[in-house]
Amino acid sequence: MGFFRWPRCKRRASPTKPTKPSPKIPNPFEALKPLIAHDVLDSSQFHVPGAFPTTPPESPTLVVSHGATIEEEDVPPKGWEFMDIDARATQPLVTDLGPHLHPRSLSYISPLPRAKRSLSPRPTKAPKPAEDDIMDIDDPWDQQAQQDSRVPHGPVSAVQLFYANRRPIPANRIASWYEAEFERREKERLARERDQRRPIRVMPAGQPVRPISHEWLVKLQRAMQSGQGQAVAKSLAGDDLYQRDIVTCIRPEAWLNDEIINAYLGLLVHYLRQSHGNLGPKERPHFHAFNTFFYSTLRDKGYDGVRRWANRAKIGGVGLLEVDTVFIPVHESSHWTLLVIRPVERTIEYFDSLGSRGLRQVKTVKQWLRGELGPKYNEEEWTVLPSVSSQQDNGSDCGVFLLTNAKSITVGIEPTAIGPQDITLLRRKIVAELMNGGLQGEFDPQDRATGAVLL
């Protein structure tokens, strides 16, 4: 941007023809001559059209050439109000907007309006149209959204858009949103219910197994030395037990045979019936133990293979729901486990000294329950409790754990109270109790001196 100088323009008189003097044109800068000559003009008071307001103490300066003289006949050119302003020599502007504003030096400056700019008012919200002014548009998407908003479980799946005819919404359409959390909470709820329905069993503070007296140790020694054809004990059902039978129980790491298991389970059932006053000849038994062939027959032949077993024991049919406890020994792949059914409580327990959950065994025994109860059987009423057995540390003590778990349930002791360190004593006690004919006398589970219950 350079300095602006008014062009000098003089009118020349014609030498041949005189002309009349032209009317005098008022010069707008005539009044400024004395001020310019004496250098008393304050640039802050000089008004430039379109310049910044005079409120700030400093403003752009109009640069006027001091070497040029303005004559009367000089007429400002057309558009003089668009003169350039030298912004390079000006001081920083102090305005209401901030103290660091500077006029930009551009090759072209657009004309500024002559009138002082006024601040625009704050935008105001447009008034809401009246209900009558709202245009009613037939929008199918809006109609679909209104229908979706009335669905109680949220919007309809986008898959519905591809169907010509609307299909019913499935009951589990929100399962994908909450399925993981729902399953977790449902498992916790069922676990709490199972724990509440689980029978209360005590954990002995000290040694869980009562030792055998010296007298009984001598009797066991004699039984082991007896002849093979001589009976050393008799089951409650009237079956004789011989030396070859008790050897499978007393000898360490020997496999128990079926006669020892059947006889000892019968002894436990007799103790339960006697404790609950359920020994009447015509009274329906509330406790029962099937023999070792029941489960294998049920597994291989189905319910038809054991249809009469419960009736012969007087617990068959709908009357099974009044039975308190049913013991079912399970023998599979040379391994003994125990199923405990409590029809009164609608619970099933499975005890395995190798730690399996017994899903297949539970499924098999439910087949028997379904066949016995018929229409009275309701799958939802039956609960499989998270029962735990103590674990064996070899491959031969599973039969001892089966009988010990059954005895623990009989006397109300937690099955995990015993361990592999107690197996030698438990083997001897099983034979001694069989020879004693029951859990009485020295083998009474409840200690009369202390009142504690021990195995």
Side-chain angles (χ1 to χ4, degrees), residues 9-61:
C9 182
K10 294 184 180 182
R11 301 182 60 185
R12 297 181 180 178
S14 176
T16 57
K17 186 178 179 180
T19 58
K20 295 182 181 181
S22 59
K24 189 175 182 179
I25 299 175
N27 191 342
F29 292 93
E30 187 68 25
L32 302 177
K33 289 183 178 181
L35 300 176
I36 296 175
H38 294 83
D39 197 15
V40 297
L41 179 61
D42 186 2
S43 62
S44 64
Q45 299 177 359
F46 190 82
H47 176 68
V48 179
F52 292 92
T54 59
T55 302
E58 300 179 10
S59 62
T61 306

Side-chain angles (χ1 to χ4, degrees), residues 259-337:
E259 285 75 11
I260 294 294
I261 293 177
N262 291 331
Y264 194 77
L265 289 178
L267 184 147
L268 296 177
V269 169
H270 179 79
Y271 175 81
L272 287 171
R273 295 188 64 182
Q274 186 179 22
S275 302
H276 292 79
N278 187 230
L279 285 177
K282 297 182 180 180
E283 190 174 3
R284 191 182 189 94
H286 294 168
F287 304 91
H288 182 70
F290 286 109
N291 63 29
T292 54
F293 299 102
F294 174 82
Y295 179 82
S296 58
T297 306
L298 174 65
R299 177 196 60 200
D300 300 337
K301 299 182 180 180
Y303 174 71
D304 291 338
V306 295
R307 180 185 298 272
R308 300 179 181 180
W309 290 49
N311 290 330
R312 287 198 296 261
K314 301 180 181 180
I315 61 170
V318 181
L320 180 64
L321 296 176
E322 300 177 2
V323 177
D324 186 278
T325 305
V326 177
F327 294 111
I328 302 178
V330 177
H331 186 261
E332 286 186 316
S333 303
S334 302
H335 181 60
W336 289 104
T337 57

Side-chain angles (χ1 to χ4, degrees), residues 32 78 135 184 215 233 379 383 435 440:
L32 302 177
K78 201 170 185 179
M135 186 179 298
R184 184 184 66 82
E215 291 78 10
E379 179 71 22
T383 304
M435 294 176 62
Q440 64 267 357

Side-chain angles (χ1 to χ4, degrees), residues 223-449:
M224 290 290 293
Q225 297 175 356
S226 62
Q228 295 184 358
Q230 182 180 357
V232 296
K234 186 181 290 288
S235 67
L236 296 179
D239 299 328
D240 292 332
L241 298 176
Y242 300 94
Q243 184 264 353
R244 63 178 181 270
D245 298 322
I246 65 173
V247 166
T248 63
C249 188
I250 291 182
R251 182 176 298 170
E253 298 186 1
W255 291 3
L256 274 66
N257 62 10
D258 296 42
E259 285 75 11
I260 294 294
I261 293 177
N262 291 331
Y264 194 77
L265 289 178
L267 184 147
L268 296 177
V269 169
H270 179 79
Y271 175 81
L272 287 171
R273 295 188 64 182
Q274 186 179 22
S275 302
H276 292 79
N278 187 230
L279 285 177
K282 297 182 180 180
E283 190 174 3
R284 191 182 189 94
H286 294 168
F287 304 91
H288 182 70
F290 286 109
N291 63 29
T292 54
F293 299 102
F294 174 82
Y295 179 82
S296 58
T297 306
L298 174 65
R299 177 196 60 200
D300 300 337
K301 299 182 180 180
Y303 174 71
D304 291 338
V306 295
R307 180 185 298 272
R308 300 179 181 180
W309 290 49
N311 290 330
R312 287 198 296 261
K314 301 180 181 180
I315 61 170
V318 181
L320 180 64
L321 296 176
E322 300 177 2
V323 177
D324 186 278
T325 305
V326 177
F327 294 111
I328 302 178
V330 177
H331 186 261
E332 286 186 316
S333 303
S334 302
H335 181 60
W336 289 104
T337 57
L338 177 66
L339 277 166
V340 181
I341 315 299
R342 301 194 67 194
V344 174
E345 300 293 337
R346 310 294 196 276
T347 61
I348 302 174
E349 293 183 274
Y350 181 74
F351 297 91
D352 185 359
S353 55
L354 291 181
S356 70
R357 299 176 57 187
L359 300 180
R360 180 164 44 87
Q361 290 79 1
V362 171
K363 182 178 179 181
T364 302
V365 81
K366 283 184 176 180
Q367 180 183 358
W368 171 68
L369 293 173
R370 188 180 297 107
E372 286 293 332
L373 300 177
K376 292 293 183 177
Y377 177 77
N378 186 357
E379 179 71 22
E380 298 180 355
E381 294 180 355
W382 291 84
T383 304
V384 181
L385 301 179
S387 305
V388 181
S389 169
S390 294
Q391 303 301 294
Q392 64 187 78
D393 59 354
N394 54 35
S396 56
D397 289 339
C398 54
V400 181
F401 277 93
L402 181 158
L403 298 180
T404 304
N405 288 333
K407 184 179 180 181
S408 300
I409 296 171
T410 299
V411 300
I413 293 179
E414 184 64 32
T416 56
I418 59 103
Q421 68 278 1
D422 304 314
I423 294 300
T424 301
L425 178 57
L426 288 171
R427 282 179 174 269
R428 296 176 180 177
K429 290 204 69 173
I430 290 173
V431 176
E433 289 169 354
L434 286 173
M435 294 176 62
N436 187 52
L439 303 180
Q440 64 267 357
E442 182 179 335
F443 302 102
D444 191 343
Q446 188 171 4
D447 190 350
R448 296 180 180 178

